[in-house]
Amino acid sequence: QPMSPIRGDQKLFQSHDSKSNLICCITFIVTVIEARQLVGLNMDPVVCVEIGDEKKYTSMKESTNCPYYNEYFVFDFHVPPDVMFDKILKVSVIHSKNLLRSGTLVGSFKLDVGTVYTQPEHQFFHKWATLCDPDDITAGCKGYVKCDVAVVKKGDTLKTPHKTNETDEDDIEGNLLLPDDVPAERQWARYYVKIYRAEGLPKMNTSIMANVKKAFIGENKDLVDPYVQVQFAGQKGKTSIQKSSYEPIWNEQIVFTEQFPPLCRRMKVQIRDSDKVNDVAIGTHFIDLRKIANDGDKGFLPTLGPAWANMYGSTRSYTLMDEYQDLNEGLGEGVSFRARLLISLAVEILDTSSAEVMCSTEVQVEGVSNISDNATGKIEEFFLFGCFLEATMIDRKIGDKPINFEVTIGKIYGRLKRKGGDDEESELIHGSSDEEVDDGGDMTSVSSTPPMKPVITDRNYFHLPYFERKPCIFIKSWWQDQRRRLYNANIMDRINQTGKTKLDRERLKLCMQELENMGQQAKNMRSQVKKSNVKDKIKLAQNFLHKLRFLSDEPQHSVPDIYIWMISNNKRIAYARVPSKDILFSSVEEETGKDCGKVQTTFFKLPGKKSFGPAGWTVQAKTELYLWLSLNRQRKDYLSGLPNGFEENKAVKGPGIQSTPPISLMYTMKQIFQLRVHMYQARSLFAADSTGLSDPFARVFFSTHSQLIISSQVLNETLCPTWDQLLVFDNVELYGEAGELRDDPPIIVIEIYDQDTVGKADFMGRTFAKPITKMSDEHYGPPRFPPQLEYYQIYRGNGTAGEMLAAFELLQIGPAGKADLPPIDGPSDIDRGPILPVPIGIRPVLSKYRIEVLFWGLRDLKRVNLAQVDRPRVDIECAGKSIQSALIQNYKKNPNFSTLVKWFEVDLPENELLHPPLNIRVVDCRAFGRYTLVGSNAVTSLRKFIYRPSDKSVSNWSAMGVYPEKKAVKYVSSVDNALAFINSLVVCVKMNSVSLILLQPDDEKGGKGKKKRKKGEEVEEEELDESMLDWWSKYFASIETLKEVRMFNRELEYQFDSFEDWLHTFNLYRGKCSDDANVEQNAADEDRLIGKFKGSLCIYKVPVFDEVSREMGFDSNMGMFQNIPHNDPVNVLIRVYVIRATELHPADINGKADPYIAIKLGKTEIKDKENYISKQLNPLFGKSFDIEATLPMDSTLTVSIYDWDLVGTDDLIGETKIDLENRFYSKHRPTCGLSASYAIHGYNVWRDPLKPTQILAKLCKDGKMDPPQYGPGGRVKVANRVYTGPTEIEDENGMYHLALAVLNRWEDIPQIGCKLVPEHVETRPLLNPDKPGMEQGRVEMWVDMFPKDMPAPGPALDISPRKPKKFELRVIVWNTDEVVLEDDDIFTGEKSSDIFVRGWLKGQQEDKQDTDVHYHSLTGEGNFNWRFIYPFDYLQAEEKIVISKKESMFSWDETEYKIPARLNLQVWDADHFSADDFLGAIELDLNRFPRGAKTAKQCSIDMVINEQDMPMVNIFKQKRIKGWWPFVARDENDELEITGKVEAELHLLTGEEAEKSPVGEGRNEPEPLEKPNRPDTTFMWFISPLKAIRYLICNNYKWLIIKIVVALLLLAMLGLFIYSMPGYMVKKLLGA
């Protein structure tokens, strides 16, 4: 289908950006599951999730560094997507935050929302975010947080990926929260943004203020104080403020420190005006980091400039209240040039190990040296020329004051050379054109066309009477010569000139490389295209296109874009923006811009927010515009692209003026044409009236004389008009040469309006086309003529609004006049007066078709004009013919039709693509013969209802409403086909021309399934008897294997084509469409939905083929709808099972909800209010409800989840609606899902009142087949196929197994087979009418239906949630060893520790228990013989501990938490006067933890680090285990080290066992443990100081004391010797 050929592929004249700044509803969902490996000792972590300014916190978990949260947060935003995608998501972990202190940051992780949105399914699921400390980048990883992050825009559905098993997710490195192309190890980098200077800033104050300031200060300074602000990754940096300057020079650089590659895609650079009151943005520029870097193997880091960045925003004239201020903030498309800023960007990867690296990530601002003038390129004089060939479709609202067009490039006119040489801006628009003459008398600029009074075209539009005189403009301006960049965007090529930046060189390499790769891939692709893979290959080609667009978007600007303003009465009304690269001239053809020197159709639009909504849909003006931009010295061919046949008209006559451009062109040459517009039909138009329909007619605009507007006829009350009309425009004058017009004719604009009896016609949409042109000397014939009808997409604002089928031809009237034109031969049989039908060669070939309609009933009709619908009727219309259903006499009593099938004949095109839509309308017959339209529906594609006669054997009932592709398969009972069709069958043997199929023994399958319940390590399960298993065992086993119960992660009808195998549901709409939505969105609009029509269609060519009517029991009243059930009321028992809800939106302030179930069917309403579940967003209900209902009155079942509130009314969280009627009548049998195996009792009991054999017999009978024949040896014959089962048929049960096996493969039966619904659980999204399109959570459930005229079903399955089982864990701490020694002794300085052990079960911190203290251990050995006792409630299937506790003292009731079963043991050093010191810890997951070592020596840190290599045990299996385990903690370098070992014994008992054999805590009775034999030192020295001192002296200083004593004795002896020696000697000498 050809789309609009205007300017590339811009939808209409709206820019592609405008969609992205419409405010929309965006929900951001974060689930914080757990954190691991947090750095720090014994912390109390809280996770904070922050988006923009909103912060939410999880609860605090005490003394653990691997907390488990599983908390769910929802952030709702109403902002434009661009703003949303630039918001930063920050996940941080904070240690010990409470009311009084803000806590200390452990680490944080940042990512922008846009990155999440670009992920598959817009989400990260179960991924680990790496935490870093922003204040210390050398520190490395600070831990991991496991979370789910998802972005949901209105209309997106959130798909939860299939749950992988836990061990995969525990591999943290392999599941990091990063996009696929980002490496796991991200390095720190510095981002240097250098800001040099800016030019061309607009005035930021009114002249009044300037005069006031002049009076006070006495000088008239520039009144703008600019500074630059850069935002990146959630941080802001600002330059200094340059006071009063229009050309500020900063020469500063702003340095950001952030990881590389960054997870934030855009950097926002803003020039702001500093003001005492508030700063305002002057202009904004975004740097997309993906465009200035390449991550390939020959890639380069982000680099930019130095280059000028052009900023666009609101108009330049200053007003106090600027209505376009948003544009300056970077929202929406700028409507005028604001300023240009010289910047550069460089990135440097940091080596964090070096000493001089700054640790913090604070933003720094530093000065840089000035940059040379020619660094950005040589300044050259550029020349811009434009010519306005026509200006039509000017909106009448503008008024009839004179209109002129003004063209600006950069700062109004670039720089104007004036006599004074001053760069002044001419803000006033002169009456004539702005002509300035410089000293040489050379004219520099004419930037606006002369004003002209517009002339009325029709009701909505004016045009300007240019006729043969076309006004021109030309501007000279001075810019850095960076054309090469623009050429490069026009074509990738060599660069060599000044001002070439690193990015220019690198981009060149990248583009060359990418283009070569693409060329290679495209060649390969072309050779591989086959019919089967065309779609994939087209996708690949579209990827190429995206890549090329991405590459051609040049990140470094040069010449600013050109703006053209339409000015009426000196007021700026509407603008058009033309990128300078599109009109840039180059002597090399490939480098020239695509619109340079070509006449382009340009549409003008309103600036800013005005262009959204209905006001912006009218075209403000349509111009045919010729533009040319080149260096002044290259301008010689600037008129070459204009249509030929004109004379130049200069402004000044006289010598030396040859070089000046003309101010207007006079055309002398013109061609005359006839335009024929063949309007055939339109479909899916916009509903413009309150009835939900429209009265559409079309207006066609063409050529410079757009008085020639011809309207098609008005067709009343339809959204799919078939106009079948030829519109002829005679004597269309077009200027220029004939050959040019043939190749590039002007554009035709077709607008579709809704005729209103009162007031102006409403605009419904617009489309564009180019006609096929025939010159007078060409032959009218194939291949170009007659033209083919084609579909054209109709646009309304940014949304699509239907399609139009039409053809356009433009025929030249030669010298002989109209006689040469091909005659118009229409169908002669219809006399349609002056209206010409589409001629025969162009109109489609018609055939007679019969349309049979099955009228079943109407459902869910709402009130119309406040009155209830009582006697409705359905009218069906197609291609001008129609049929009415029987009248429903009393809609309340029975909403079904009494006559089921009616038919009518129509003429439809042979080509199915051209089939007109079929309109379904429901009217209500009121009193006095009045009719009110209730609602309508247009079936745009009849394809699926066309009946194609298939091979003889197919019974027509199964052929109804099924795509022919499925039936085209011929069934041959040969070995190959059986193998092809029956994948799941094991053996296939050919036996007397009947396939014999051996079924796999079902019992074995069941057995195997049970054995492999949990990852193959549990042995116990094998010995479990059936009585131990319940429905939940089946449920949890199925989540992993999807075997026994099919877990559908969508609605059941989604898997089975809405159960519309023969009964279709058509939604009926009423009321106007909303203005800002697409047709698709309007179709899903709940407010317009007024009810449903149920029925079906069958379309076939007449005459009808015989074989159908000859068939047995053919009921001619039913036509093609044979064998369908009757639509009398049926009584049914509905049994609804609700298992659980997941991811509910929080309804209370605390971010939680108290959900309960409410069920509504007809007049029955059940509210299960007393069983609400407190503070849960993932509640487990496990409930079943029985409701009696009568179809068709009660056909819609609504299951809602409400939030219980103590005060006030309960709020609806979300609801889901199920159409029970389609399920009841569907041949997929969703009334009661078939189990995989047949059982009489137990958890797997057969639920259906009919036994499998009865079901099989009934299906065979309905399909008009022989009943199944059961033979010996466990065989059954169905439809000429023999199925063999595993067992001999000894009893009925064997037959049941056999029949069930056939039913589970029913889709393999030829002709009548289809997939039967298995036993299942469906997951339905919950929606809230107040938040349309936004999923509010999901509910897992299923529905069984039992007709009352059948045997009664058994009791409902018991699916009530499992009650947790009571267990008691007894932990005996025997000894510790090698515990690190913390304390220094006061006297002796020796190291010791006062050891005690603390333990608790995760989630029960308040129940923590401590041993007594082993004082003064000198070796790290401690003896305790101390028993901890932990009673807990445990769910075995989910492996979680269940805790019920009040969240806070204000809570009304207890909240239930489910937490993994983990035992924490810690070793501490007791201190008397200060806080105890934490030494080490170990956490044992009771379901799988390493087996304890036999001795302390064998116990090593490997038991923690290399868990996977260790033998694992499960305490729930082992019951009792004893051994040594290591205590670990992190050292200064963040490495794990062993800080002690503990010998412990774990003993698990059930609640009953624990009651029978009680034990005491600690060493108490009963069963006391003996006192530990501790060495004497452990006594405290102040209890028995002497003893302690003796011990100290004896133990430690024994030898020292002995040495001292010996030395003292020696000294004494020496002293005595010296003392007594003289006396002795005297004695001796004297001989006394």
Side-chain angles (χ1 to χ4, degrees), residues 43 140 349 354 576 681 710 834 1015 1185 1243 1474 1488:
M43 49 202 311
I349 301 286
S354 73
Q681 68 187 33
I710 299 187
K1015 317 178 192 94
F1185 303 91
Y1243 70 97
S1474 59
R1488 48 192 308 274

Side-chain angles (χ1 to χ4, degrees), residues 888-933:
I888 294 180
Q889 290 303 329
N890 185 336
Y891 173 71
K892 268 218 156 69
K893 278 199 180 144
N894 183 355
N896 280 353
F897 295 103
S898 49
T899 311
L900 281 174
V901 180
K902 293 191 171 189
W903 58 268
F904 61 106
E905 290 188 353
V906 289
D907 297 324
L908 294 182
E910 295 265 299
N911 180 350
E912 284 177 19
L913 293 172
L914 304 183
H915 275 183
L918 176 133
N919 296 310
I920 300 173
R921 271 191 214 149
V922 179
V923 293
D924 185 19
C925 307
R926 304 256 163 108
F928 307 110
R930 287 178 306 132
Y931 290 99
T932 312
L933 177 72

Side-chain angles (χ1 to χ4, degrees), residues 1257-1289:
K1258 184 172 181 301
L1259 286 174
C1260 289
K1261 186 181 162 204
D1262 290 348
K1264 302 209 168 140
M1265 280 179 0
D1266 300 336
Q1269 296 158 0
Y1270 298 92
R1275 301 182 176 198
V1276 57
K1277 182 177 174 193
V1278 179
N1280 277 352
R1281 291 171 173 235
V1282 175
Y1283 291 86
T1284 27
T1287 48
E1288 292 289 324
I1289 298 192

Side-chain angles (χ1 to χ4, degrees), residues 1340-1375:
E1340 289 183 13
M1341 56 176 294
W1342 86 88
V1343 180
D1344 284 346
M1345 298 192 270
F1346 306 110
K1348 286 302 207 34
D1349 53 5
M1350 296 279 208
L1357 283 185
D1358 178 22
I1359 63 163
S1360 51
R1362 295 176 160 168
K1363 297 284 177 279
K1365 209 168 162 188
K1366 288 206 177 310
F1367 281 95
E1368 185 169 286
L1369 178 66
R1370 300 173 178 175
V1371 181
I1372 302 175
V1373 179
W1374 293 110
N1375 301 301

Side-chain angles (χ1 to χ4, degrees), residues 1357-1404:
L1357 283 185
D1358 178 22
I1359 63 163
S1360 51
R1362 295 176 160 168
K1363 297 284 177 279
K1365 209 168 162 188
K1366 288 206 177 310
F1367 281 95
E1368 185 169 286
L1369 178 66
R1370 300 173 178 175
V1371 181
I1372 302 175
V1373 179
W1374 293 110
N1375 301 301
T1376 59
D1377 203 355
E1378 298 180 33
V1379 174
V1380 287
L1381 307 175
E1382 275 283 305
D1383 294 353
D1384 299 332
D1385 196 286
I1386 305 172
F1387 301 117
T1388 61
E1390 124 188 283
K1391 285 208 165 285
S1392 67
S1393 268
D1394 302 334
I1395 304 172
F1396 70 91
V1397 177
R1398 170 175 291 172
W1400 72 90
L1401 276 182
K1402 192 162 194 132
Q1404 305 187 352

Side-chain angles (χ1 to χ4, degrees), residues 530-576:
K530 297 187 193 64
K531 199 167 181 182
S532 55
N533 61 6
V534 167
K535 275 195 177 156
D536 304 344
K537 298 294 178 196
I538 288 179
K539 241 188 188 139
L540 265 172
Q542 282 171 331
N543 288 352
F544 287 161
L545 192 62
H546 280 302
K547 203 162 209 176
L548 277 171
R549 282 201 186 135
F550 185 78
L551 286 173
S552 68
D553 188 8
E554 170 62 62
Q556 305 184 102
H557 304 168
S558 43
V559 183
D561 292 351
I562 288 93
Y563 280 95
I564 304 143
W565 276 91
M566 178 165 76
I567 297 173
S568 164
N569 204 12
N570 285 353
K571 278 218 299 282
R572 290 169 187 276
I573 304 291
Y575 77 100

